[in-house]
Amino acid sequence: MLLHAIDTGTGPGTVLLLHGMMGSSESWWRLIPPLTANGHRVIALDLPGHGLSERDPQLTIEQAAASVVETVRHLAPGRPLAAIGHSYGATVLAASFEMLQPDLSVYVDAALSLTGGHDRAALTAQYARDRRARLSPEGLLRSRPFYSAQDAEVEARAAALFDPATTASISCDTDHSWLPEAGSIVLRAEPSAWVSDDDARRFAANGADVRSIPGAAHTIWYSHFDAFTASLPELFGPPPPHPLS
């Protein structure tokens, strides 16, 4: 399955962006301009069942990962490739790592585990209720005062396009867990409801660079934009100087 993408910018390298559950490629709207200004091509995908990508009520995490890999190979087969995944998107990134082999992976506030065995109808109904609660920009601003008006509009629009059955399906299979590969970056809120201190220690022991942003919300770049970009100088730092001719 080829996924819908925002594809913008030019440069020798590509940055892949994978949003969290009930988000969309638009969730990265604040981060895309500084990335392209730093000379990166940016590809932000709508994961299956999100945004303008296809729905699949029998989706597995392996199929979601394969769709990401297929789309990246179709749009940007060259190197270098960096990837940022948030929450559910980080889980999909971890599941796709062996096939995708990014030069740099950034996992944002995700435990990189997936609990399976859920009742399909019950979980679909729960996600449908969660979706309804996110349809109003005004409601999102009340529950997330750190959102800007545009953040709220973007996330309400993403909720309207979200398909509960597709995303519920991935939690009806078996349990999955991943460790971030050595050399990757794990960026978490502190405290985090998703990445415990024990998780952080396990990730660091496997060679990941665990970085924390105190007081940040789960969507770190919405609540702490400057701290988020400053914490990733590999991607948001000043571009390298041009060689002398």
Side-chain angles (χ1 to χ4, degrees), residues 51-129:
L52 299 178
S53 287
E54 292 182 31
R55 280 68 177 123
D56 180 359
Q58 302 300 316
L59 187 73
T60 65
I61 191 68
E62 291 84 4
Q63 290 168 336
S67 293
V68 168
V69 174
E70 180 184 2
T71 305
V72 171
R73 289 176 177 171
H74 175 73
L75 294 175
R79 291 288 190 223
L81 173 69
I84 304 176
H86 171 241
S87 194
Y88 169 59
T91 302
V92 177
L93 176 58
S96 67
F97 174 78
E98 290 298 327
M99 295 181 288
L100 199 60
Q101 291 290 314
D103 300 283
L104 175 66
S105 301
V106 180
Y107 302 100
V108 181
D109 215 37
L112 303 184
S113 62
L114 182 65
T115 303
H118 285 267
D119 178 85
R120 187 177 299 271
L123 190 57
T124 300
Q126 177 187 320
Y127 285 167
R129 291 191 295 271

Side-chain angles (χ1 to χ4, degrees), residues 23-219:
S24 76
S25 54
E26 279 194 284
S27 297
W28 304 102
W29 73 271
R30 286 197 204 180
L31 295 178
I32 291 173
L35 285 170
T36 58
N38 271 3
H40 301 291
R41 179 184 178 185
V42 176
I43 296 176
L45 299 183
D46 287 338
L47 293 171
H50 295 76
L52 299 178
S53 287
E54 292 182 31
R55 280 68 177 123
D56 180 359
Q58 302 300 316
L59 187 73
T60 65
I61 191 68
E62 291 84 4
Q63 290 168 336
S67 293
V68 168
V69 174
E70 180 184 2
T71 305
V72 171
R73 289 176 177 171
H74 175 73
L75 294 175
R79 291 288 190 223
L81 173 69
I84 304 176
H86 171 241
S87 194
Y88 169 59
T91 302
V92 177
L93 176 58
S96 67
F97 174 78
E98 290 298 327
M99 295 181 288
L100 199 60
Q101 291 290 314
D103 300 283
L104 175 66
S105 301
V106 180
Y107 302 100
V108 181
D109 215 37
L112 303 184
S113 62
L114 182 65
T115 303
H118 285 267
D119 178 85
R120 187 177 299 271
L123 190 57
T124 300
Q126 177 187 320
Y127 285 167
R129 291 191 295 271
D130 295 344
R131 171 185 175 274
R132 286 193 295 272
R134 293 171 60 102
L135 290 173
S136 163
E138 295 77 18
L140 286 172
L141 285 171
R142 285 192 297 271
S143 62
R144 297 162 176 81
F146 55 87
Y147 273 13
S148 70
Q150 187 163 348
D151 296 337
E153 291 285 348
V154 162
E155 293 304 318
R157 189 156 53 243
L161 294 170
F162 171 71
D163 178 54
T166 296
T167 306
S169 181
I170 68 162
S171 295
C172 298
D173 198 1
T174 58
D175 294 350
H176 292 73
S177 64
W178 301 265
L179 281 172
E181 66 279 4
S184 64
I185 297 169
V186 174
L187 185 59
R188 67 172 186 148
E190 186 181 350
S192 172
W194 299 88
V195 184
S196 69
D197 291 343
D198 284 344
D199 290 331
R201 284 189 286 269
R202 285 191 303 108
F203 294 167
N206 202 56
D209 182 356
V210 179
R211 305 173 186 178
S212 299
I213 297 181
H218 181 48
T219 45

